[in-house]
């Protein structure tokens, strides 16, 4: 598509956008008396308007019913997590029994690694992308130390290229093929939080699994952003957070995927709790743990209803809009942002370097922009003009135009503000 950096052109794209009305389902922060230009849905998604109603209903049921709410609430709390299985499964390309909403992301990564990182004999190493999200690095390093292994020796990190900031996929594949029999686990981010690089999860999974490596994906920046097909890709496990693209609110509940082939095993190493126990006998309080033959076996505690309720409102919107249509809009919306950034760069003579891959197949809806020679002052200027974006030291601005609630006009307005600020 031929883009133009003009208000009319952006308005026209908005008029033709079949997803444009979803914006009205969300609450935008207000800055300077106007709705902010919100580009941080990759960090904390916006609140759906329906969240308040759902939360109030849960509070009302608790007040009215007390403990009876476990079975009598309009959404009974006892099977509360089950309300998420179908929509989450659709979102990540899984069977409903392969997903469960529980805990926080890093907690889940640990729980999953207890089961799926099992160093043995020569096969001890973990392969990941260099400069992964800090929490993932800490989780991987501490898992290694937990097994008595030195991270310096047993963690293989494929570093991003020093200039481009991008990890070369062929390098990952080479390491898998060369050192495959030493690697116990591959655990990577599906979309890198910093550069916005989207990895070919299907291909990497296939090659790694062919080498006998267990494959787990951190989908914090991928779930609700890019199409996923975890079951068919034959991924072993995955986890994601609910509060980024999935709009579950601060600290909202995470989700996990565990491939069917790992279900129903009693001898799998796993940290267990009563919520993973067979539902029909759970309240007989038996001594012996009998795992639910689904991903639910990894649940420990009963569902934190208030931190899960907001996700229901958001998943309903994802279901209505459909991931395919969202992805289609994300591609155009992000391409428009790329175009506008280039136009501003030409108009101002200021270099604006997009480190996110320009190939739309290798990125979701985030662009990370380096502004050489300009520091936090530029970012602060943007903020004072009502732009909510994300600053990473020393000089990267991360912008995520989210197809559920961002518009082409948002991007046009951002371009005007950026031009003025430069
Ligand atoms: C956001 C993010 C996290 C956050 O972890 P929490 O446990 O939810 O606080 C972890 N890993 C990645 C890759 C992330 O993007």
């Amino acid at each position: 598509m031929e883009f133009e950096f003009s208000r009319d052109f952006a308005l026209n794209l908005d008029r033709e956008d079949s997803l444009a009305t979803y914006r009205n389902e969300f609450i935008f922060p207000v800055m300077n008396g106007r709705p902010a230009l919100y580009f941080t849905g990759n960090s904390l998604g916006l609140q759906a308007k329906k969240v308040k109603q759902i939360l109030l209903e849960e509070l009302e049921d608790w007040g009215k019913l007390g403990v009876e709410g476990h079975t009598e609430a309009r959404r009974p709390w006892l099977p509360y997590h089950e309300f998420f299985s179908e929509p989450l499964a659709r979102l990540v390309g899984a069977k409903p029994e392969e997903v469960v909403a529980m805990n926080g992301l890093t907690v889940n990564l640990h729980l999953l690694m207890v089961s799926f990182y099992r160093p043995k004999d020569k096969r001890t190493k973990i392969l990941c992308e260099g400069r992964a999200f800090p929490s993932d690095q800490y989780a991987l390093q501490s898992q290694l130390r937990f097994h008595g292994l030195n991270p310096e020796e047993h963690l293989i990190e494929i570093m991003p290229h020093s200039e481009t900031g991008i990890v070369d996929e062929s390098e990952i594949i080479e390491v898998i093929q060369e050192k495959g029999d030493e690697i116990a686990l591959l655990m990577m981010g599906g979309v890198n939080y910093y550069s916005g690089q989207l990895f070919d999860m299907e291909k990497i999974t296939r090659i790694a699994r062919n080498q006998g490596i267990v494959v787990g994906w951190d989908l914090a920046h991928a779930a609700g952003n890019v199409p996923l097909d975890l079951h068919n890709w034959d991924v072993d496990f995955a986890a994601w957070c609910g509060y980024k693209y999935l709009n579950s609110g601060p600290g909202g509940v995470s989700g996990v995927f565990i491939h069917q082939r790992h279900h129903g095993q009693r001898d799998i190493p796993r940290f267990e709790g009563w919520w993973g126990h067979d539902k029909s006998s759970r309240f007989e309080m038996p001594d012996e743990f009998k795992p639910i033959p689904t991903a639910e076996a990894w649940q420990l505690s009963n569902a934190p209803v208030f931190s899960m309720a907001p996700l229901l409102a958001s998943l309903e919107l994802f279901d209505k809009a459909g991931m395919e249509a969202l992805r289609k809009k994300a591609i155009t919306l992000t391409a428009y942002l790329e175009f506008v950034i280039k136009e501003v760069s030409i108009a101002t003579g200021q270099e604006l370097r997009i480190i996110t891959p320009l190939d739309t197949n290798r990125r979701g809806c985030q662009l990370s922009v380096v502004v050489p020679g300009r520091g936090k002052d530029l970012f602060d200027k943007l903020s004072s003009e009502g732009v909510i974006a994300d600053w990473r030291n020393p000089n990267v601005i991360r912008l995520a135009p989210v197809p559920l609630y961002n518009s082409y006009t948002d991007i046009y307005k951002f371009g005007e503000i950026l031009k003025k600020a430069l």
Side-chain angles (χ1 to χ4, degrees):
M1 192 188 298
E2 287 277 329
F3 290 127
E4 272 173 43
F5 179 28
S6 77
R7 183 180 295 271
D8 282 348
F9 185 82
L11 276 171
N12 206 37
L13 285 179
D14 283 331
R15 255 181 244 120
E16 288 168 8
D17 172 15
S18 62
L19 300 177
T21 55
Y22 285 90
R23 180 181 176 84
N24 306 328
E25 307 288 334
F26 289 89
I27 303 171
F28 283 75
V30 172
M31 284 175 85
N32 312 331
R34 286 191 305 266
L37 295 172
Y38 197 79
F39 295 114
T40 44
N42 57 342
S43 184
L44 186 77
L46 289 180
Q47 183 186 145
K49 286 180 181 164
K50 210 177 157 195
V51 165
K52 197 178 261 174
Q53 183 202 327
I54 292 187
L55 274 172
L56 281 173
E57 286 172 3
E58 303 304 350
L59 286 170
E60 206 177 274
D61 285 354
W62 179 26
K64 221 165 54 189
L65 300 162
V67 71
E68 301 298 332
H70 282 305
T71 51
E72 304 306 317
R74 68 201 91 186
R75 287 172 293 270
W77 307 324
L78 203 69
Y80 205 81
H81 64 276
E82 292 174 21
F83 304 133
F84 299 83
S85 308
E86 299 268 354
L88 283 179
R90 283 189 282 274
L91 208 62
V92 300
K95 299 188 170 187
E97 60 270 28
E98 289 176 317
V99 295
V100 62
M102 61 184 198
N103 310 317
L105 171 57
T106 310
V107 173
N108 284 334
L109 291 177
H110 277 298
L111 291 176
L112 291 164
M113 280 193 277
V114 163
S115 295
F116 299 111
Y117 173 53
R118 287 180 263 171
K120 195 166 175 265
D121 303 331
K122 192 178 167 211
R123 207 184 265 284
T124 54
K125 295 183 177 157
I126 302 179
L127 178 64
C128 70
E129 87 270 36
R131 306 222 180 87
F133 193 85
S135 199
D136 298 42
Q137 295 187 41
Y138 307 150
L140 293 173
Q141 291 166 11
S142 60
Q143 282 284 332
L144 285 161
R145 286 195 302 268
F146 179 74
H147 286 279
L149 299 168
N150 180 357
E152 303 260 328
E153 235 176 279
H154 296 269
L155 189 61
I156 308 177
E157 292 177 283
I158 310 294
M159 298 309 281
H161 190 279
S162 60
E163 256 160 52
T164 63
I166 297 304
V167 175
D168 187 348
E169 268 187 29
S170 61
E171 207 179 311
I172 299 173
I173 288 162
E174 258 169 50
V175 172
I176 292 173
Q177 281 164 343
E178 279 169 19
K179 301 190 183 166
D181 59 350
E182 298 170 30
I183 302 169
L185 172 69
L186 177 147
M187 218 208 60
M188 285 178 51
V191 174
N192 182 269
Y193 81 100
Y194 185 81
S195 66
Q197 178 180 10
L198 163 62
F199 289 97
D200 188 338
M201 289 177 258
E202 180 178 15
K203 183 172 168 191
I204 294 172
T205 302
R206 186 177 62 244
I207 294 170
R209 289 208 9 95
N210 275 339
Q211 298 287 328
I213 299 170
V214 176
V215 176
W217 290 98
D218 181 331
L219 302 176
H221 283 265
N225 177 14
V226 295
L228 299 164
D229 199 8
L230 300 180
H231 177 85
N232 289 326
W233 293 346
D234 221 18
V235 168
D236 288 288
F237 70 92
W240 54 90
C241 38
Y243 51 80
K244 291 176 179 163
Y245 292 103
L246 299 184
N247 316 310
S248 73
V253 75
S254 162
V256 304
F257 163 89
I258 297 154
H259 198 282
Q260 198 173 31
R261 65 175 166 273
H262 300 297
H263 298 179
Q265 297 175 27
R266 278 177 196 241
D267 56 356
I268 194 166
R270 176 171 51 210
F271 288 164
E272 293 172 341
W274 74 321
W275 231 247
H277 181 91
D278 169 49
K279 291 172 199 173
S280 65
S281 62
R282 182 186 289 145
F283 289 95
E284 292 161 23
M285 309 288 185
D287 290 338
E288 199 193 333
F289 182 83
K290 185 175 163 201
I292 303 172
T294 69
E296 292 163 284
W298 276 262
Q299 291 183 112
L300 300 176
S301 299
N302 70 97
V305 168
F306 300 131
S307 85
M308 292 172 88
L311 185 56
L312 277 179
S314 170
L315 289 179
E316 202 176 292
L317 297 172
F318 271 95
D319 258 340
K320 264 194 212 150
M323 213 37 234
E324 203 176 315
L326 285 167
R327 172 63 174 163
K328 203 165 154 235
K329 175 174 172 186
I331 287 173
T332 322
L333 200 60
T334 312
Y336 191 51
L337 178 60
E338 181 187 331
F339 171 82
V340 164
I341 287 169
K342 283 181 180 158
E343 288 290 297
V344 171
S345 178
I346 292 166
T348 60
Q350 166 71 51
E351 186 189 353
L352 296 169
R353 190 153 47 83
I354 297 172
I355 60 170
T356 310
L358 299 182
D359 176 357
T360 53
N361 291 317
R362 297 276 63 90
R363 71 183 187 201
C365 66
Q366 170 184 324
L367 293 182
S368 303
V369 188
V370 174
V371 192
R374 292 301 293 264
K376 186 95 182 349
D377 65 305
L378 170 66
F379 182 77
D380 292 341
K381 237 183 207 168
L382 296 175
S383 305
S384 70
E385 292 295 322
V387 174
I388 303 184
D390 177 84
W391 175 262
R392 293 284 132 165
N393 279 329
N395 56 1
V396 170
I397 299 175
R398 296 190 305 166
L399 298 155
V402 169
L404 253 185
Y405 48 71
N406 279 119
S407 66
Y408 294 92
T409 307
D410 284 346
I411 288 168
Y412 166 75
K413 286 181 184 167
F414 167 75
E416 284 295 331
I417 291 170
L418 179 64
K419 198 162 96 179
K420 214 173 90 193
L422 287 170

